Amino acid sequence: MTDKAITSIKDRLRSLTFPGADGDIVSLGLVSDIFVSDGKAYFSLSVPAARAQELEPLREAAEKAALSVDGIKSAVVVLTADKKAGEAPAQPARPAQQTPRQPQRPQQPAKQEIPGIGAIVAVASGKGGVGKSTTAVNLALAFQANGLRAAILDADIYGPSIPRLLQISGKPKTSDGRRIIPMENYGLKAMSMGFLVDEGTAMVWRGPMIQSALLQMLREVNWGDLDVLVVDMPPGTGDVQLTMAQQVPLAGSVIVSTPQDLALLDARKAINMFAKVEIPVLGVVENMSYFVCPDCGGRHDIFGHGGVRQEAEKIGAPFLGEIPLDMAIRETSDAGTPVVASAPDGVHAKAYRTIAENVWNAISSRKPRSAPEIVFE
Ligand code: ADP
């Protein structure tokens, strides 16, 4: 069924011509791999960034074409801006075999600022399970508690957890049929791929589709005026993360690490990745730093507390603060009532607010796009 559906979608897409070019969008090589799962179709169309707006009808037509195939209940088609803004005419991103000229992918894609958003901060980690999403959501709430206009974008497309962490369900609405109105809880605006596709749907997407979906979630959402947008990045340091770091106009990154993680080089890989694309590492947060025994009140340095501070100092990345390993953090996080929102006067909220303040100071003290000040051994 899946292969047949993909072939049928492709056939229908052949009836769509690309405005200003000779040929249909399939033979021009503009259609990405088509992914079909559980009656839902996902694919992207590669178009020049400068023409993205004008090509919206083409995107809609492609969605309609996919929906006209038997067994396809929904279709998500996104436009991949494959060219620098303003760059001239439509060139196929992946040319069909007969096309003689191979268009070049830009080395350093243009990073268009997003109107109304003061600073975009990526929260990243070298690997999964270190508490990156928990930190990201509490950090965003802490910015808000500190009086800043904050929002969160879940870029962890493989395993979006912001809908669960903020206890938001349902699908976002659009304002004028195009721009998405972000979802909201605890006064925090949020956008996540998890709102657009069902949780548990395997995101077997390839790089270009992920980038395209992410860029749309950034640019085609009515964020309003924000001081800071926190981006929960996917874990790890693969090509997708690197490309995202290259394409999103980030003010800087916050690396979340457990005490042994930085020493074991995982977090360092994340730091290296941002350094490579000249995005300032605003600092490192030590998560699950120490454990306070709920019975005896004693403090236990299970993972060797302080490892992150020492390692961060060694490589010249600022230390932003530490968060203990605490059942309250796990339980509130897993229940969708993050600790900064549910216990705003508690000790954990205070710790996150201190980190938010440190991050904000780090952003404010940097000139935009300054080179990272990281020294590697
Ligand atoms: P990641 O985004 O790095 O995969 P998550 O934020 O999803 O990690 O956290 C993984 C698990 O660890 C979750 O169950 C979360 O509730 C828990 N967790 C995160 N930080 C803490 C903490 N400081 N104390 C206790 N549990 C935590």
Side-chain angles (χ1 to χ4, degrees):
M1 151 71 197
T2 306
D3 285 349
K4 207 169 138 229
I6 292 172
T7 310
S8 308
I9 293 172
K10 239 187 204 162
D11 284 346
R12 307 272 159 109
L13 293 176
R14 284 186 211 282
S15 65
L16 301 177
T17 50
F18 189 82
D22 245 0
D24 69 88
I25 58 173
V26 176
S27 30
L28 283 169
L30 304 180
V31 181
S32 71
D33 284 346
I34 298 172
F35 171 58
V36 173
S37 163
D38 197 22
K40 299 189 182 76
Y42 308 90
F43 56 93
S44 65
L45 302 180
S46 196
V47 302
R51 297 187 61 191
Q53 202 143 357
E54 163 208 340
L55 291 170
E56 175 60 17
L58 178 69
R59 190 194 67 76
E60 283 168 14
E63 254 175 25
K64 276 204 192 110
L67 281 170
S68 71
V69 169
D70 267 356
I72 298 298
K73 292 181 290 225
S74 71
V76 177
V77 180
V78 286
L79 297 179
T80 312
D82 217 37
K83 295 274 158 196
K84 281 182 187 169
E87 200 168 299
Q91 286 281 349
R94 262 185 321 133
Q97 266 143 18
Q98 312 92 302
T99 312
R101 272 187 303 141
Q102 298 273 327
Q104 295 278 307
R105 251 193 127 76
Q107 283 285 302
Q108 189 69 325
K111 287 192 201 173
Q112 256 179 301
E113 296 299 327
I114 299 164
I117 302 185
I120 304 178
V121 175
V123 176
S125 63
K127 61 173 190 196
V130 301
K132 171 186 53 63
S133 298
T134 301
T135 306
V137 80
N138 279 301
L139 183 64
L141 289 163
F143 277 127
Q144 193 168 262
N146 287 353
L148 295 169
R149 294 164 302 176
I152 188 159
L153 169 66
D154 187 358
D156 194 344
I157 283 172
Y158 307 107
S161 43
I162 297 301
R164 183 175 43 82
L165 285 170
L166 285 174
Q167 223 182 126
I168 301 177
S169 55
K171 302 256 177 276
K173 297 190 169 53
T174 55
S175 56
D176 47 11
R178 238 180 77 79
R179 290 183 72 81
I180 299 171
I181 302 169
M183 306 290 270
E184 195 170 321
N185 199 5
Y186 308 114
L188 188 73
K189 289 178 184 161
M191 195 53 215
S192 167
M193 209 58 198
F195 300 144
L196 305 176
V197 296
D198 293 333
E199 202 171 349
T201 307
M203 284 286 154
V204 200
W205 289 17
R206 294 178 20 162
M209 294 178 72
I210 292 175
Q211 282 165 45
S212 150
L214 178 82
L215 293 178
Q216 289 211 336
M217 285 202 294
L218 257 179
R219 297 186 190 280
E220 293 185 14
V221 168
N222 279 346
W223 290 111
D225 284 335
L226 294 178
D227 295 307
V228 57
L229 176 68
V230 173
V231 181
D232 183 10
M233 295 281 282
T237 52
D239 279 353
V240 172
Q241 288 86 336
L242 183 66
T243 319
M244 271 170 27
Q246 280 174 320
Q247 294 203 354
V248 177
L250 297 171
S253 63
V254 169
I255 311 295
V256 180
S257 177
T258 56
Q260 77 281 43
D261 182 23
L262 195 63
L264 292 178
L265 296 177
D266 283 313
R268 250 191 241 204
K269 280 189 220 149
I271 291 174
N272 250 320
M273 179 187 84
F274 286 106
K276 206 161 146 187
V277 287
E278 299 195 348
I279 288 170
V281 173
L282 300 170
V284 191
V285 173
E286 182 170 277
N287 189 38
M288 309 193 196
S289 177
Y290 53 90
F291 174 67
V292 180
C293 170
D295 299 324
C296 68
R299 178 174 162 146
H300 306 275
D301 294 343
I302 303 181
F303 296 131
H305 159 248
V308 171
R309 184 191 285 270
Q310 282 160 22
E311 290 296 325
E313 272 166 15
K314 264 198 226 161
I315 57 177
F319 181 71
L320 295 166
E322 58 193 25
I323 301 293
L325 175 76
D326 194 298
M327 275 310 271
I329 295 177
R330 197 184 70 75
E331 282 168 2
T332 51
S333 184
D334 297 351
T337 56
V339 76
V340 173
S342 55
D345 299 319
V347 48
H348 299 316
K350 199 167 161 240
Y352 282 115
R353 288 181 64 171
T354 304
I355 292 171
E357 200 181 320
N358 291 340
V359 173
W360 189 244
N361 288 341
I363 296 171
S364 312
S365 68
R366 279 174 186 276
K367 289 196 206 95
R369 305 272 167 85
S370 58
E373 296 164 2
I374 299 162
V375 182
F376 291 95
E377 295 162 80

